[in-house]
Amino acid sequence: MNSIFYSVITLLLLTAGVLLLMREFNKTKGTLHDASQPEPVLMTKEEGEDHFSVLMNAITPVWYWRVNHEYIDFLHATIKRMKMTEINDTPGLFDAQRRCSDLNSAVYKYYDNIKKRCLNGEKVSHSDLDVLNLRQCFREFSLDAYPELVVIVWPEYARPVVDPSEV
């Protein structure tokens, strides 16, 4: 009976020793990792606003806000005046409108997130994931989703193919 008791105590002590060593190892590893990376220099609120402004001007396509306002006007002139039966009877309309709405919401979400980060002093780069996602949403909304929605509602007003580099 005593040998079982001593065995259990020994195992508990060994386990505690291993856990303590693992904890110390993780602490030293974390400090070495943290020490090797330089601390980012935070910007002031004014510098953050300026950085955000320059960043948005650099990544926003020149046509985007015009297309966005056109989309909002299009919604008020067409879809918001339709009855649910008309919307359901038009093939693909609901899905196309949902896609445009989701992309438009995503643009504002990424825009607000980047702005908040800049105002908190972070220097957001052009290769940041939020910036890349925002650029993708700009392009997908204005070059694919919105023109497809217009074609569904007004086929006769389909946009001609436009090369963005020529705008």
Side-chain angles (χ1 to χ4, degrees), residues 31-49:
T31 17
L32 292 176
H33 186 304
D34 292 343
S36 66
Q37 289 190 358
E39 286 292 319
V41 178
L42 294 178
M43 299 181 292
T44 65
K45 187 171 182 175
E46 290 77 23
E47 290 172 335
E49 287 175 358

Side-chain angles (χ1 to χ4, degrees), residues 62-79:
V62 292
W63 71 87
Y64 180 75
W65 293 112
R66 181 177 176 188
V67 171
N68 185 279
H69 292 302
E70 184 181 307
Y71 164 70
I72 292 167
D73 292 342
F74 174 81
L75 281 180
H76 289 291
T78 58
I79 296 175

Side-chain angles (χ1 to χ4, degrees), residues 110 113-114 117 124 127-135:
Y110 288 125
N113 191 26
I114 294 169
R117 288 172 56 193
V124 180
S127 62
D128 186 84
L129 187 59
D130 283 344
V131 173
L132 296 175
N133 286 336
L134 179 60
R135 292 182 82 171

Side-chain angles (χ1 to χ4, degrees), residues 131-150:
V131 173
L132 296 175
N133 286 336
L134 179 60
R135 292 182 82 171
Q136 176 61 31
C137 288
F138 282 153
R139 292 194 164 280
E140 189 175 341
F141 175 80
S142 56
L143 299 177
D144 295 331
Y146 176 61
E148 289 172 9
L149 179 64
V150 170

Side-chain angles (χ1 to χ4, degrees), residues 53-144:
S53 202
V54 168
L55 180 66
M56 286 300 113
N57 285 333
I59 68 166
T60 306
V62 292
W63 71 87
Y64 180 75
W65 293 112
R66 181 177 176 188
V67 171
N68 185 279
H69 292 302
E70 184 181 307
Y71 164 70
I72 292 167
D73 292 342
F74 174 81
L75 281 180
H76 289 291
T78 58
I79 296 175
K80 288 196 175 189
R81 294 180 183 209
M82 294 175 136
K83 296 178 181 156
M84 278 307 292
T85 56
E86 291 176 290
I87 293 173
N88 290 333
D89 290 343
T90 308
L93 178 61
F94 184 80
D95 292 332
Q97 169 51 30
R98 172 65 66 159
R99 180 177 177 210
C100 284
S101 177
D102 289 348
L103 285 168
N104 198 34
S105 296
V107 163
Y108 285 103
K109 182 187 90 170
Y110 288 125
Y111 183 88
D112 288 342
N113 191 26
I114 294 169
K115 184 174 185 177
K116 183 192 305 180
R117 288 172 56 193
C118 287
L119 292 180
N120 286 335
E122 183 180 343
K123 188 166 186 157
V124 180
S125 69
H126 288 263
S127 62
D128 186 84
L129 187 59
D130 283 344
V131 173
L132 296 175
N133 286 336
L134 179 60
R135 292 182 82 171
Q136 176 61 31
C137 288
F138 282 153
R139 292 194 164 280
E140 189 175 341
F141 175 80
S142 56
L143 299 177
D144 295 331

